[in-house]
Amino acid sequence: MPRTASPSDSPAASALPACLYVVGGLLAAVLYVADVSPVLSGLTFIVVAIAGVVALLVGPRWHRTELRNPWTLLAAAIVVFTAGALLRPWASGRTGVSELAADMFTVPGYVLMLLSLAGLLRARRAIEKHAVIDGLIVCVGMAIVSILLFAVPAASIAHRSAVVSALAGVYPLFDTVLVLLVVNLAFTTAARRPSYLLLVATMTGVLIGDVAYAIIGRTGHLTGSPLLDLPFLFSFAFIGAAALHPSMVELGRATPLPVQAWSWPRLLLIVPALAVPFLLTVLLPDKNPVQRVVIAVGGVAMVVLLLGRAVSAVSAYAAAQHRYQHQATHDALTQLPNRTMLPEHVGRLLHAPAPPGAMVWVFYLDLDGFKRVNDSWGHAAGDQLIVEVARRLRTVVPGPATVARVGGDEFVMVDVGSRDDAVALAERVLDCFGAPLSMPFAQVVISASVGIAGRPVDAGTEVTADDLMREADTAMYQAKSEGPGKWTMFDSSMHQRVRERVDIEVDLRKALPAETPDGSAVSPQLHLAYQPIVELRTGGLLGAEALIRWNHPTRGAIPPGVFIPIAEDTGLIAKIGRWVLRESVRQLADWRHTDAVGDDFWMSVNVSPRQLRDPYLPDVLASTLTEYGVPPDVVVLEITESVMIDASAVTDEVLRQMREIGVRIVVDDFGTGYSALGYLRRHPVTGVKIDRSFVRGLGVNAQDEEIVRAVTAMSSALGLTVVAEGVETTTQQGVLAELGVVMGQGLLWGAPIGPARFGERWSTLPALPPGSPVVPSRSPGQPATVPSGPPTAAAWRGPVQDGPGAS
């Protein structure tokens, strides 16, 4: 949920209060040190402390940080520190419990401050082994100095009570822990932002102040000059500014860092600490037993810590190497082996000992319909699907076999066994996709295509792992061409088919239409042929479908069923589709201008799924219609059923915009895919084309007749037009007419022909009287009647699709 603007939204403005607070705090500190009067100094100290508490409580809420407890603890620490500081002068002259009044507040203050720092470290997830060890090295050095130079002398003061002396010796130890936490914070912070620097300045001020009091504590004094309190006043100013600065939110963010090298800044802290035992050994020539023990224990502790740091560094390096090696050879999403690891593994199996007759089998798997998931629910959903597929494959593939992910939706399995074992594994793999995959976003049903290639183990051949994987990949594409959910075993003839496919792709790129100076495009090899669409009962011409043809200079005519799938796979279909659309509209305009066709004659053009994912397609179509002066209602776009099933938001919007332009949209090959009323109602289609596979059985197969009857009734109820394609006999024509189908297309009225012959043939035929039947119903064997010229049934209100002119 978006939040309203706050002062922290403007970095310059939100940093201003922190700057003003520091200036005010420093001025107050100067006033305190001036020592104008005890009352004024006391009030100044109290005001600065209260201001610090307010800043610590208000800052986290003002900047809306989720981490507030450490700041609240610091505010509480200031309260009790202030109480202890105010009571210290009064308590220093007392005896008994009264002389501990200041310590009753000061000691809890240290505890609260240390808990606050620990909270910041925990929130940052910054308590790392290497940083703790480095911090402990500095801490041990500080502890040796504190104990020998401050704690022991302060605790040895004879004229005061043992409790007070003991407490005087404890305070330097609090500072030692403070150093440990501050150093850890420094060692685990990569970005030195203002709030962090102000926090370090605060703790440094506290440490300096404590050292100053520890120095006078060696002589038995508990209070002294106001200058001794100056570091604490500075600390109050710095900590308040740290809470008010906008960068304070980053102190609570998790910032785990890798093992840190001993950089020069870090060594400036660690080296002096390591030198402490040696320096004190020299500086304290007449050491008593306590001093000797402290120096010895501290030195041993430092040696142990150094060894621990070395072990930590080596372990971290080994772990990092293992992690990098794993990342290099495994897929980050599924944690399966990746393409890098496979060749070595397959090569090792090819030359490993195995039972007689055993073969190394490589299974190349590609998911069918994975792109539909990505387009419909997004790439995050696609990643979840890949993870679930990997889990299923691991469950069905036997333990010794390997499962790897080598591409977006491609997996490879490697196993050793007989041919029957390979076939059984392929069947199990395909069967595992039978049940829907339960995803958080939907129940998904997909299939897979599997290619299999095998070689005998240690057969003495020169085959490599790359050869075997390439053969399995080739077999997978062959399986995919046979339909979803199939597996195919590699054979040598597939190499020829692959080379053939590559050659066709290269030649197709050369055959693409070239741009001309006037903005049109021509191709010496590609052209359009036109097949008539007629009224079934009269044979009157209603429209035509534009179909692409390729005359190769050496191969001859290449069927659309061969080159259109290649164009789809390579993305060439988009350029081809644009050319088909423009050329068919241009041809329609030419026929209309020469009166070769009537005003109600329409042109039907196939549009590929890839074209419909182009958001600029409606603009291109609209400009083409305007350029050639063709009304949009005489252009029909044919789409496949898969477009409705796999439609993305872009496809839906493109279809909607094209319908708004006024063109009609028809579902081609209706009944062969995922035909469903829901899809027809959700998309702006205006008609359907009954697939030729159902028309072929009319007059022979009663089931086909019932299917056509149902499609016709359903389409009529939805207000959709119906065209039957693939009509070849008068029997089929008669049955369709009886079933209520108005329009037909097929060889009965002629094969697709060039534009010149089409215009010549259909513009010169005499017109039949309106309503005159061309053939009677159910007349097997009767020759087809020549269709009439002008259309006699212009009541077509519907639309179409496939690859551009693929029929």
Side-chain angles (χ1 to χ4, degrees), residues 3 31 131 197 218 224 256 268 287 307 434 450 469 514 537 554 599 611 626 634 650 655 678-679 705 743 748:
R3 63 179 180 87
L31 180 61
L197 296 175
R218 288 168 52 91
L268 288 176
K287 294 178 284 293
L307 291 175
V450 179
M469 291 177 62
R537 289 194 177 276
T554 58
D599 292 340
Q611 282 181 277
T626 301
V634 296
V650 174
L655 289 173
Y679 294 121
E705 185 171 329
M743 292 163 284
L748 182 60

Side-chain angles (χ1 to χ4, degrees), residues 121-207:
L121 285 170
R122 185 170 57 252
R124 293 172 62 81
R125 299 176 189 171
I127 305 177
E128 302 288 345
K129 182 190 296 184
H130 61 275
V132 171
I133 293 175
D134 290 347
L136 284 173
I137 292 173
V138 178
C139 181
V140 170
M142 177 69 180
I144 295 173
V145 173
S146 298
I147 292 172
L148 295 183
L149 299 186
F150 302 118
V152 172
S156 303
I157 302 298
H159 65 271
R160 60 187 179 190
S161 67
V163 176
V164 173
S165 295
L167 287 173
V170 167
Y171 285 125
L173 298 181
F174 278 130
D175 291 328
T176 300
V177 181
L178 174 64
V179 168
L180 172 63
L181 296 176
V182 172
V183 168
N184 258 279
L185 192 63
F187 286 171
T188 55
T189 302
R192 307 295 198 255
R193 300 302 304 277
S195 284
Y196 162 78
L197 296 175
L198 287 168
L199 181 63
V200 171
T202 297
M203 300 308 164
T204 303
V206 172
L207 181 60

Side-chain angles (χ1 to χ4, degrees), residues 259-451:
V259 174
Q260 300 295 295
W262 277 351
S263 59
W264 282 111
R266 183 169 292 210
L267 288 175
L268 288 176
L269 292 173
I270 295 176
V271 170
L274 292 172
V276 164
F278 304 99
L279 291 175
L280 291 180
T281 300
V282 175
L283 295 175
L284 299 175
D286 299 326
K287 294 178 284 293
N288 59 42
V290 173
Q291 292 173 327
R292 293 177 182 276
V293 169
V294 170
I295 293 174
V297 171
V300 171
M302 285 187 172
V303 171
V304 172
L305 289 172
L306 285 173
L307 291 175
R309 184 59 159 90
V311 172
S312 174
V314 172
S315 300
Y317 178 79
Q321 287 293 101
H322 177 74
R323 183 168 60 253
Y324 295 150
Q325 183 179 9
H326 185 273
Q327 291 174 350
T329 57
H330 287 75
D331 173 55
L333 182 62
T334 62
Q335 298 305 308
L336 294 175
N338 61 15
R339 187 183 293 273
T340 303
M341 183 178 179
L342 273 178
E344 180 182 352
H345 177 64
V346 174
R348 189 165 55 249
L349 291 178
L350 284 170
H351 302 287
M359 299 180 68
V360 176
W361 297 98
V362 173
F363 304 76
Y364 209 109
L365 180 148
D366 182 85
L367 298 180
D368 305 317
F370 175 71
K371 189 177 185 307
R372 182 166 68 243
V373 174
N374 265 350
D375 291 344
S376 301
W377 290 288
H379 290 284
D383 288 346
Q384 292 176 338
L385 181 63
I386 290 296
V387 171
E388 175 61 19
V389 168
R391 187 194 64 79
R392 288 200 180 186
L393 290 177
R394 278 192 293 254
T395 60
V396 300
V397 174
T402 298
V403 181
R405 183 188 180 206
V406 296
D409 61 340
E410 297 177 338
F411 295 83
V412 167
M413 292 148 288
V414 183
D415 196 14
V416 177
S418 65
R419 183 185 180 90
D420 291 341
D421 294 333
V423 171
L425 179 55
E427 293 290 351
R428 288 201 308 274
V429 167
L430 294 183
D431 288 344
C432 82
F433 293 97
L437 284 80
S438 298
M439 298 285 98
F441 50 89
Q443 291 280 325
V444 179
V445 178
I446 62 172
S447 58
S449 300
V450 179

Side-chain angles (χ1 to χ4, degrees), residues 533-543 598 600-602 742-743 766-774 787-796:
I533 300 174
V534 305
E535 185 180 25
L536 283 172
R537 289 194 177 276
T538 66
L541 180 66
L542 299 177
D600 292 329
F601 177 92
W602 74 81
V742 177
M743 292 163 284
L768 294 179
S772 301
V774 178
S788 64
T792 59
W796 156 271

Side-chain angles (χ1 to χ4, degrees), residues 206-218:
V206 172
L207 181 60
I208 293 173
D210 285 343
V211 170
Y213 270 97
I215 290 174
I216 67 171
R218 288 168 52 91

